[in-house]
Amino acid sequence: EAAVTQSPRSKVAVTGGKVTLSCHQTNNHDYMYWYRQDTGHGLRLIHYSYVADSTEKGDIPDGYKASRPSQENFSLILELASLSQTAVYFCASSDWGGAGQDTQYFGPGTRLLVL
Amino acid sequence: AQSVDQPDAHVTLSEGASLELRCSYSYSAAPYLFWYVQYPGQSLQFLLKYITGDTVVKGTKGFEAEFRKSNSSFNLKKSPAHWSDSAKYFCALEGTGGNNKLTFGQGTVLSVIP
């Protein structure tokens, strides 16, 4: 069974502060992703990575940075947290066997509240 | 551009009834389509996917989905529904351009009344 863990599981941050969300996978997967989930929306892709030391912008990257220091770890960084970034954040990983071939495995999510 | 629409925010039915959750997509080429389920307080779990071939695909937990190119739909079905199926269901699309990026629909909250 694929294993993706996230830390912290919940966090309260102040506006303008820096927030780092961490993700760790033990699946030996190449791809990792960060999504956010808001009420009334599905998941939206923020950043993703297909190899260590490289990240790519997703559909809503503004206000976020990402870091992939190793194959197992992928962080999401909010340099200046804002109220609009209150959401649940999910990390996911997948292998690469060709387009459409691989399932994404999701972590438990991090609930972020920015005050 | 690609998009996924799940027009029903909430669906409520009685245990034993048949369920069908709607999903429509917009994509200029042949898509790869997925269904995920999110139980209360949990993360997303994979249910099934359509890549090519047979238009009806079967997944875990007794679910199946039918791909209809004619009306760009990928509806999720199960009969009979069980109270334990109560959850939020997401339809997602991966474009054939690669990189495994998923575009999700808004989700449908299913409530099955015992």
Side-chain angles (χ1 to χ4, degrees):
Chain A
E1 182 76 24
V4 181
T5 57
Q6 295 180 230
S7 63
R9 294 293 312 278
S10 66
K11 183 173 180 63
V12 179
V14 296
T15 304
K18 182 178 181 178
V19 177
T20 300
L21 307 182
S22 299
C23 178
H24 178 79
Q25 54 104 353
T26 58
N27 310 317
N28 200 33
H29 284 167
D30 291 325
Y31 280 75
M32 295 187 75
Y33 312 81
W34 276 107
Y35 294 90
R36 64 177 280 173
Q37 182 181 32
D38 300 277
T39 303
H41 291 273
L43 278 69
R44 292 181 288 174
L45 182 64
I46 307 171
H47 285 287
Y48 67 101
S49 169
Y50 54 85
V51 67
D53 295 322
S54 178
T55 63
E56 306 292 332
K57 293 181 178 180
D59 299 322
I60 53 165
D62 293 346
Y64 302 94
K65 292 184 179 179
S67 173
R68 182 92 181 270
S70 64
Q71 186 190 39
E72 298 80 15
N73 295 294
F74 191 36
S75 297
L76 185 69
I77 304 151
L78 290 65
E79 294 279 2
L80 295 171
S82 66
L83 295 175
S84 65
Q85 293 177 312
T86 292
V88 179
Y89 292 85
F90 288 98
C91 177
S93 75
S94 73
D95 209 341
W96 175 247
Q101 299 302 313
D102 297 293
T103 301
Q104 291 190 20
Y105 293 89
F106 286 81
T110 295
R111 190 173 297 274
L112 175 64
L113 174 62
V114 183
L115 301 175
Chain B
Q2 58 196 53
S3 66
V4 176
D5 183 48
Q6 295 178 248
D8 303 312
H10 294 88
V11 170
T12 300
L13 48 83
S14 298
E15 193 171 36
S18 297
L19 76 85
E20 181 168 359
L21 305 183
R22 297 187 290 166
C23 172
S24 62
Y25 68 89
S26 176
Y27 187 60
S28 56
Y32 303 125
L33 295 162
F34 300 77
W35 277 98
Y36 284 83
V37 59
Q38 185 180 30
Y39 296 102
Q42 297 185 26
S43 190
L44 280 75
Q45 300 176 28
F46 169 78
L47 274 180
L48 50 80
K49 66 181 176 183
Y50 170 81
I51 300 174
T52 186
D54 295 339
T55 57
V56 177
V57 292
K58 296 185 184 298
T60 60
K61 307 178 190 294
F63 287 92
E64 65 179 34
E66 182 177 9
F67 171 68
R68 289 190 175 180
K69 184 179 179 181
S70 58
N71 62 356
S72 300
S73 69
F74 187 56
N75 293 352
L76 184 69
K77 303 177 183 181
K78 183 179 180 181
S79 183
H82 189 264
W83 65 267
S84 61
D85 295 325
S86 298
K88 190 167 188 177
Y89 292 81
F90 292 96
C91 182
L93 177 155
E94 177 186 338
T96 51
N99 69 33
N100 282 12
K101 287 174 58 179
L102 291 177
T103 298
F104 284 85
Q106 312 93 313
T108 297
V109 175
L110 173 67
S111 298
V112 181
I113 310 301

